[in-house]
Amino acid sequence: MKRLKLSNYEQKQQQRLDLSTVKTTPQQQETKAFYPTDKEFTDPLKYIQQIKNQAEMDGICKIVPPSGWKPGFALDTTAFQFETRLQHLNMMSAASRLTNNYCEQLAKYHCSMGNDIQKIPQLEGGPINFYALHTVIKRKGGFEALEDWDPVCEYLELAPNKRNASRLKQVYEKYILPFENFQNTFVSVLGKRKSNDCHQCHKTVTNGIHCADCEQIYHIQCTRYGQMLEEWYCDDCILKTPDEYEFEDGPVYGLKDFQAECEKFKNRFFRKSQVSEQECEEAFWDLLDSPFEDVQVEYGADLHTSEHGSGFPDKKKTPDAPYADHPWNLNNIARLPGSLLSQINKEIPGMTVPWIYIGSCFSTFCWHAEDHFTYSINYHHFGETKTWYGIPAADAEKFDRLMQKECPELFKKSPDLLFHITTMLDPALLRENGIRVVKIHQRPREFVVTFPRAYHAGFNQGFNCAEAVNFALPDWLPFGSLCCSLYTQHKKLPVFCHEELIMSLCQAPKISHCSWLYDQISDLIARETKQRESLMVKFPDLQPVYTQSESVQCSYCHCYCYISWLEDDDVYCLSCLVCHLI
């Protein structure tokens, strides 16, 4: 997409977005969607509890409001401007990212041996996937043990014949086998030494060769190739795992200019103005699964409504506006009396305060569960379809295991990969592995609700605008406790203090006596008692100090401590003290 710099917006007044010009996908009657009556639509949390038993089996569900629901779009489109993030589609697919990472290592190796790979070898009209070839031969027991190459051809989706088998064998011997021999004999030479010492033999270098990545110097005779090269990489940098993929910052847009760019991109890509939802979906997954085709898109994601404004009227700013006080207005839903998040005494952007999302064709939200495994609700304000995929909480652990099985190299680099929201797996692969996956096409004026610990992902089929926020019903509490345990395990910073929320619920009118709170309090007391007893056995002279301070953070796992902690020069939660530090 064309990139627009911020200076363009400093020099001109933005044009108002005319919503009548926005290409819109019409609503369709669907059996899997929920259609509340006018009476049922008066209380969102009560209605979601009403449909929960049926809806949570899919992990996500669509709710279509009654025909009278017409909140409009409250945002001032002349003042609204937003920064986009750049997404490379083939780097979000786990398989394509692994392929690109492997090919980068392979290319560096051959470059450092004086044999630049100028062009990837072709077969049957397409490039040979080095990583797939390496993977299948490894699974078959290695090159020396391989006798039948037909399964290799089939794995690479090539015809199993002598010509293809012979070509794959040549490619493997020329490009992959030398690299794997190098990997098998590699010994790292990392360590401290003087800047002018050879990184291999540790002796002084007066005229050597520098690694193009780490810039360390080597004697030419200490390199594997033994000759001066224009571009050369040391052994450590050849095998260095690339950094975890992150989205780059993109340009700043106003809505009307972004609409024009989105339409231009989609028309140019499909070469026609009318594209069905199925066509767009097939093209999306083809792009994600194509490691050698780099298509970049832009997404206005996670835009704070406290800074940019909401698509719904804000009752604090315009209390008399229609729909300002409506319970389905996302500015209100997290703080409704039935939402446990109403007991959090601070505003949390993206959780209790909505975020806006401005989509373009193929812009993506990768597989993830919500922060603290809470519920979420997303409203489609206008524009083209947003396609969702959902996994119920019952299959969450299966999904976790499959992700680790499919991309162990990525998890080795980033054990908390599932919290990064940067990785996609094809729903077809999930279904093949016994994971239940549902698909929803969300269109204007429709809500999508995600249930606790329901993994979800998706993409936008064109220019659109959506808004989302979180909430929590009583059945969420066990999921919240589980999520905090995972945060502690991965040393991930929580969004709020779970212990503090439970204690606040104990003091809240109409909640403190509820039976569903009893189990949470009992578990908390039992855990706290056990940890204190373990600590006192080790340190019998410890004396408690009572304080009125707010929650603090553990220096080791980063969790919030609210009930108790040990404080010295640093702060430690009792769990870390008992399990890791004493």
Side-chain angles (χ1 to χ4, degrees):
M1 284 189 176
K2 180 182 175 184
R3 301 180 182 180
L4 204 58
K5 296 181 180 178
L6 180 60
S7 58
N8 294 105
Y9 285 93
E10 294 170 345
Q11 295 168 7
K12 70 174 185 179
Q13 174 67 26
Q14 293 181 66
Q15 293 179 304
R16 182 180 298 278
L17 176 68
D18 182 355
L19 291 179
S20 67
T21 68
V22 176
K23 188 178 291 186
T24 299
T25 311
Q27 286 186 340
Q28 301 176 22
Q29 191 75 16
E30 295 174 276
T31 56
K32 291 291 286 184
F34 292 89
Y35 296 85
T37 63
D38 287 325
K39 183 178 180 181
E40 290 172 327
F41 198 65
T42 58
D43 186 337
L45 302 186
K46 182 178 179 181
Y47 182 71
I48 291 167
Q49 284 178 311
Q50 176 184 323
I51 66 173
K52 170 182 170 291
N53 287 342
Q54 182 180 353
E56 73 174 345
M57 291 189 297
D58 292 335
I60 64 175
C61 74
K62 179 162 76 172
I63 298 174
V64 182
S67 58
W69 165 263
K70 297 177 181 177
F73 188 63
L75 209 57
D76 181 358
T77 60
T78 61
F80 179 50
Q81 55 180 282
F82 57 95
E83 187 173 311
T84 53
R85 60 177 56 158
L86 304 179
Q87 299 180 319
H88 294 268
L89 296 182
N90 64 348
M91 289 302 289
M92 289 186 287
S93 161
S96 294
R97 193 187 310 164
L98 288 168
T99 297
N100 282 312
N101 289 351
Y102 182 80
C103 289
E104 181 180 331
Q105 293 177 329
L106 193 69
K108 284 182 177 179
Y109 168 76
H110 284 285
C111 176
S112 299
M113 297 302 292
N115 304 314
D116 271 357
I117 303 176
Q118 299 293 340
K119 184 179 179 182
I120 297 175
Q122 305 282 304
L123 196 55
E124 291 189 358
I128 294 174
N129 187 322
F130 286 133
Y131 181 70
L133 184 57
H134 147 77
T135 300
V136 67
I137 291 180
K138 184 178 180 181
R139 289 178 182 175
K140 296 295 180 182
F143 180 70
E144 297 297 334
L146 189 63
E147 295 180 357
D148 183 5
W149 281 76
D150 284 357
V152 177
C153 295
E154 291 170 351
Y155 186 85
L156 272 68
E157 299 182 350
L158 299 168
N161 55 46
K162 289 183 178 180
R163 177 182 175 276
N164 287 345
S166 176
R167 179 65 173 142
L168 290 178
K169 186 176 181 180
Q170 290 174 356
V171 167
Y172 189 89
E173 287 183 299
K174 180 176 180 180
Y175 295 102
I176 298 177
L177 189 58
F179 177 57
E180 294 190 345
N181 290 336
F182 156 69
Q183 288 178 299
N184 293 334
T185 59
F186 167 72
V187 177
S188 176
V189 293
L190 290 177
K192 291 184 179 180
R193 58 188 53 81
K194 295 178 182 178
S195 59
N196 62 339
D197 283 356
C198 172
H199 211 58
Q200 182 71 32
C201 70
H202 307 178
K203 295 179 181 178
T204 303
V205 180
T206 54
N207 185 23
I209 186 170
H210 287 84
C211 173
D213 264 1
C214 68
E215 299 183 353
Q216 294 285 350
I217 194 169
Y218 288 75
H219 290 114
I220 295 173
Q221 63 270 25
C222 286
T223 67
R224 289 178 181 269
Y225 185 55
Q227 296 182 31
M228 179 61 76
L229 293 168
E230 186 175 337
E231 184 178 354
W232 175 84
Y233 299 91
C234 70
D235 292 356
D236 285 291
C237 288
I238 289 172
L239 293 180
K240 181 177 69 176
T241 304
D243 292 336
E244 171 56 26
Y245 175 66
E246 295 180 349
F247 302 129
E248 305 165 39
D249 291 337
V252 174
Y253 286 98
L255 280 174
K256 188 171 179 61
D257 286 318
F258 194 62
Q259 175 196 20
E261 292 298 326
C262 291
E263 291 177 354
K264 186 190 302 181
F265 171 85
K266 189 170 183 179
N267 291 338
R268 187 170 65 240
F269 183 88
F270 287 101
R271 299 183 181 180
K272 59 182 181 179
S273 58
Q274 296 300 319
V275 181
S276 71
E277 290 174 339
Q278 183 176 346
E279 283 180 284
C280 194
E281 184 181 16
E282 289 174 355
F284 171 75
W285 287 106
D286 283 345
L287 289 171
L288 253 68
D289 294 335
S290 302
F292 306 113
E293 187 170 0
D294 183 14
V295 173
Q296 177 181 281
V297 297
E298 297 168 351
Y299 194 10
D302 302 342
L303 305 173
H304 295 210
T305 55
S306 54
E307 299 174 14
H308 298 281
S310 168
F312 291 100
D314 186 339
K315 66 180 180 181
K316 295 177 183 177
K317 299 176 182 177
T318 53
D320 298 328
Y323 292 91
D325 205 35
H326 198 288
W328 286 84
N329 178 332
L330 296 197
N331 292 306
N332 305 326
I333 201 165
R335 295 296 185 183
L336 291 176
S339 170
L340 305 190
L341 300 189
S342 64
Q343 298 302 312
I344 295 177
N345 59 9
K346 63 179 181 179
E347 298 293 7
I348 305 173
M351 179 155 265
T352 62
V353 179
W355 274 347
I356 288 269
Y357 298 85
I358 310 298
S360 66
C361 185
F362 303 139
S363 57
T364 305
F365 51 106
C366 296
W367 285 112
H368 69 288
E370 293 297 306
D371 287 336
H372 290 259
F373 293 164
T374 56
Y375 286 82
S376 76
I377 183 166
N378 182 293
Y379 181 72
H380 193 314
H381 283 291
F382 62 76
E384 297 196 63
T385 301
K386 183 185 288 285
T387 297
W388 294 70
Y389 305 95
I391 298 171
D395 282 356
E397 290 185 8
K398 279 187 187 177
F399 176 80
D400 292 344
R401 289 194 295 269
L402 181 63
M403 281 282 283
Q404 293 178 36
K405 175 188 171 186
E406 288 297 313
C407 39
E409 297 95 331
L410 300 182
F411 276 92
K412 184 177 180 181
K413 177 74 173 180
S414 303
D416 61 343
L417 180 68
L418 286 169
F419 295 125
H420 293 193
I421 320 182
T422 56
T423 305
M424 292 292 276
L425 282 184
D426 194 321
L429 177 64
L430 304 182
R431 295 187 185 103
E432 287 171 8
N433 284 270
I435 297 172
R436 179 177 172 81
V437 186
V438 297
K439 177 174 69 179
I440 287 176
H441 288 312
Q442 183 191 21
R443 306 177 184 97
R445 292 186 60 257
E446 296 177 345
F447 292 94
V448 167
V449 172
T450 73
F451 288 82
R453 209 191 178 188
Y455 278 106
H456 50 282
F459 71 100
N460 300 293
Q461 299 210 5
F463 176 59
N464 61 22
C465 175
E467 191 165 342
V469 76
N470 295 95
F471 64 96
L473 299 175
D475 68 305
W476 157 78
L477 279 168
F479 291 99
S481 296
L482 172 62
C483 190
C484 285
S485 299
L486 294 175
Y487 284 171
T488 298
Q489 177 184 334
H490 292 286
K491 300 182 181 180
K492 175 176 166 57
L493 177 66
V495 178
F496 60 83
C497 179
H498 191 80
E499 288 181 353
E500 184 176 6
L501 175 59
I502 291 175
M503 299 307 294
S504 296
L505 292 171
C506 290
Q507 303 171 56
K510 300 182 181 180
I511 292 181
S512 57
H513 65 281
C514 291
S515 59
W516 48 260
L517 194 54
Y518 177 79
D519 287 344
Q520 292 295 308
I521 291 296
S522 299
D523 289 346
L524 194 155
I525 292 172
R527 184 177 69 249
E528 184 73 18
T529 302
K530 182 178 180 180
Q531 290 173 347
R532 289 190 188 190
E533 289 174 349
S534 298
L535 200 60
M536 293 305 293
V537 168
K538 186 74 175 178
F539 302 105
D541 296 330
L542 273 180
Q543 295 295 321
V545 175
Y546 298 96
T547 176
Q548 294 294 322
S549 67
E550 296 181 354
S551 59
V552 296
Q553 271 186 276
C554 175
S555 304
Y556 185 79
C557 73
H558 308 307
C559 78
Y560 285 116
C561 310
Y562 184 71
I563 296 176
S564 63
W565 60 89
L566 188 142
E567 188 170 334
D568 193 6
D569 293 334
D570 292 307
V571 170
Y572 298 104
C573 70
L574 301 195
S575 179
C576 285
L577 283 168
V578 170
C579 298
H580 305 296
L581 302 175
I582 60 173

